[in-house]
Amino acid sequence: MLSADKILLPIDFQGASKSVVHQAAILARHFQSEIVMLHVVTPLSYSAGTLEGNYVPANLGDLFKELLRTAQKRLDDFLGPELAGLKVKRVLIEGDPAATIVRTARDEKTSLIVMPTHGYGTFRRFLLGSVAAKVLHDSEIPVWTGAHLEEEPKREFALRNILCAIDLGAHSQKTIEWAAQLASQFGARLTLVHITPDADLYGPDGFDLGPAWKEKLIGSAAQGIAKLQQEIGTKAEVVIESGDVPKLLNQVAKQTNADVLVVGRPSHGRLRATGYGIIRESYIPVVGV
């Protein structure tokens, strides 16, 4: 049975995504989890303009100490109303963002990392680029990334429909099992989706092999998914498409009214090449398991 005793929530003061915080709070209330709120301080995290009053540091060492003190003060009261009623542990650590997130998840024995991908300032580049990729690659636990949207979603977030993308690789069984357990916990509908390559990719010099080859790819995928479901014991709906993975996953997500997309970790299987693209382009949260 899926459980989440602790949820790690890395945050940035300049651009904390309320939607991701709300999602973390919903998960924490359902699983009765403790939220470990982590803020990682780096020399680039702040400018001198963030210091309070007319304080002028004597040297860089004093400046960084003051930045740490200011960060701790902000962290102590940060997101109080949004996380009201939940058990929250606030952690401030100096270091490399990605390595610190992964290490803290391990040290705190958290079951899930919930990360925003929408924010402003220096940390935004981290989350949308190298840090998100490193955390997804190095983390031993599932990583929930917020939807990449310019605006907060208008619809209240709830887990009613879960979409699970699989590539039929070795990691697919674990991906389906995690998604199925999440769906069971929330009484949500589960849909499995598989995107085959364009048929013309298999032809010499881009030659289109025709509809018969596409049907063969789809038929083979359908058999593979049916076998997986039989082994796992799931009876989810199945959608099979061919073409651009991120684009089609967004399309299927809209068709199924999906609230979250579960995928295999980008470091596994065929989805590896498009995994980060899926996260960047998704209009719903994505969980890499």
Side-chain angles (χ1 to χ4, degrees):
M1 179 179 293
L2 191 66
S3 63
D5 295 333
K6 286 187 179 182
I7 296 173
L8 181 63
L9 178 64
I11 57 94
D12 171 43
F13 300 134
Q14 296 181 17
S17 171
K18 291 184 179 180
S19 61
V20 169
V21 173
H22 179 59
Q23 291 156 22
I26 287 177
L27 293 168
R29 290 190 175 99
H30 179 86
F31 290 108
Q32 298 183 335
S33 314
E34 176 185 18
I35 289 183
V36 179
M37 184 190 298
L38 171 67
H39 181 67
V40 183
V41 179
T42 73
L44 297 178
S45 294
Y46 300 94
S47 66
T50 62
L51 298 180
E52 297 178 343
N54 297 318
Y55 174 78
V56 178
N59 52 55
L60 288 177
D62 288 346
L63 169 62
F64 200 65
K65 288 179 182 178
E66 181 63 17
L67 291 175
L68 286 171
R69 188 194 69 79
T70 301
Q72 185 64 63
K73 183 177 179 181
R74 296 185 68 183
L75 183 63
D76 289 342
D77 299 319
F78 197 60
L79 297 174
E82 289 82 358
L83 301 176
L86 293 171
K87 184 179 180 182
V88 180
K89 179 179 180 180
R90 300 168 191 272
V91 179
L92 179 73
I93 300 178
E94 174 191 350
D96 171 77
T100 301
I101 290 170
V102 173
R103 186 177 64 253
T104 303
R106 182 178 62 249
D107 293 346
E108 292 286 343
K109 295 181 173 57
T110 59
S111 305
L112 179 68
I113 300 172
V114 179
M115 296 179 63
T117 59
H118 180 75
Y120 301 93
T122 304
F123 205 51
R124 181 183 188 185
R125 294 199 301 275
F126 286 149
L127 289 178
L128 292 178
S130 62
V131 165
K134 289 177 182 176
V135 171
L136 283 161
H137 183 273
D138 296 342
S139 174
E140 299 174 354
I141 61 173
V143 180
W144 178 300
T145 53
H148 184 53
L149 299 171
E150 291 301 320
E151 297 180 359
E152 298 290 343
K154 295 180 180 179
R155 188 175 70 167
E156 185 75 8
F157 178 80
L159 282 169
R160 297 161 294 230
N161 298 290
I162 296 172
L163 183 63
C164 177
I166 55 173
D167 60 8
L168 293 175
H171 201 67
S172 292
Q173 180 170 338
K174 179 179 178 181
T175 305
I176 297 174
E177 288 175 342
W178 197 93
Q181 289 177 34
L182 183 66
S184 176
Q185 280 284 335
F186 285 86
R189 181 184 65 160
L190 176 63
T191 301
L192 305 181
V193 57
H194 175 75
I195 311 297
T196 71
D198 282 326
D200 57 8
L201 294 178
Y202 285 84
D205 300 320
F207 178 72
D208 188 350
L209 294 178
W213 183 252
K214 181 177 180 179
E215 289 179 8
K216 185 176 181 179
L217 284 175
I218 292 175
S220 176
Q223 291 178 5
I225 294 172
K227 182 180 179 181
L228 269 174
Q229 292 219 76
Q230 184 177 14
E231 292 173 351
I232 298 170
T234 55
K235 296 181 180 180
E237 299 177 39
V238 177
V239 176
I240 301 175
E241 297 284 355
S242 299
D244 181 85
V245 175
K247 181 180 178 181
L248 287 171
L249 287 180
N250 260 340
Q251 180 177 307
V252 175
K254 291 178 180 178
Q255 292 171 350
T256 59
N257 292 316
D259 300 293
V260 66
L261 170 64
V262 179
V263 300
R265 196 70 55 79
S267 57
H268 297 278
R270 180 176 161 257
L271 283 176
R272 177 177 184 176
T274 54
Y276 306 122
I278 291 170
I279 293 170
R280 285 193 301 269
E281 296 181 32
S282 178
Y283 80 101
I284 60 174
V286 180
V287 189
V289 302

